[in-house]
Amino acid sequence: MKETYDWILNKLPYSDPFLFVHEMLDINDTMVKGSYRFSPKLDFYQGHFKNDPITPGVILTECCAQIGLVCLGIYLLGQKTKLENFTIGMSSSQMEFLLPVLPGERVRVVSNLIYFRFQKLKCEVQMYNEDSKLICKGVLAGMIGVANE
């Protein structure tokens, strides 16, 4: 039976139209894998290159951060606390974009932990398309912690 990660998805501090996680594929103390399909109906496609829309790099970065940092952070913190009052914020990003993501494409994000200490989480992320071609890669960092526990 496939393990469910609904408890992580239910703790995400996002909702449509700014939720960029559809499925958690795997997670442990040092890595996370998840996926998202970019609906052609998303508003930013209306103006991001007339008649030839692609997904903005900032949105690809956000998708990598939601899966690669936030989901992993929730998993790591959730092993030690109830996560009633957690906070999250990205502190740095360094991304390289190699391929475009078109409306309707499904992407897979893989994130590997660099470190998690003093409430700072830093990960190396990669995003792949359905043909397993590398779309973008980089290093993301954020602050995540639990307030008043």
Side-chain angles (χ1 to χ4, degrees):
M1 185 167 120
K2 186 176 179 183
E3 185 173 351
T4 179
Y5 302 108
D6 289 346
W7 71 273
I8 296 170
L9 299 176
N10 291 333
K11 291 290 185 184
L12 288 170
Y14 316 102
S15 63
D16 285 328
F18 208 74
L19 175 64
F20 299 109
V21 183
H22 278 152
E23 182 182 22
M24 299 295 306
L25 303 170
D26 195 11
I27 194 164
N28 62 44
D29 288 345
T30 61
M31 69 74 144
V32 60
K33 295 177 185 176
S35 68
Y36 181 75
R37 182 172 304 278
F38 286 94
S39 168
K41 296 179 181 179
L42 289 166
D43 284 341
F44 53 78
Y45 287 129
Q46 301 306 311
H48 197 246
F49 300 120
K50 296 178 192 175
N51 304 318
D52 196 19
I54 64 169
T55 309
V58 68
I59 300 295
L60 298 179
T61 302
E62 181 65 25
C63 180
C64 286
Q66 287 185 18
I67 295 171
L69 278 181
V70 182
C71 288
L72 183 58
I74 289 169
Y75 176 82
L76 293 171
L77 286 175
Q79 296 178 84
K80 299 175 184 170
T81 180
K82 294 180 286 192
L83 287 178
E84 295 300 323
N85 237 348
F86 82 95
T87 58
I88 182 77
M90 188 163 14
S91 59
S92 66
S93 65
Q94 181 180 4
M95 296 293 289
E96 181 180 356
F97 301 96
L98 306 167
L99 294 173
V101 174
L102 303 176
E105 275 195 78
R106 180 180 180 267
V107 298
R108 180 175 45 90
V109 174
V110 177
S111 176
N112 291 291
L113 179 71
I114 296 173
Y115 65 79
F116 182 41
R117 62 179 175 263
F118 305 115
Q119 297 188 332
K120 185 165 185 175
L121 178 59
K122 189 171 188 178
C123 297
E124 182 179 34
V125 297
Q126 300 90 31
M127 178 183 281
Y128 297 91
N129 63 21
E130 291 180 285
D131 294 328
S132 295
K133 292 183 180 174
L134 185 62
I135 294 168
C136 60
K137 62 182 179 176
V139 175
L140 302 175
M143 301 299 293
I144 186 167
V146 178
N148 301 324
E149 277 207 288

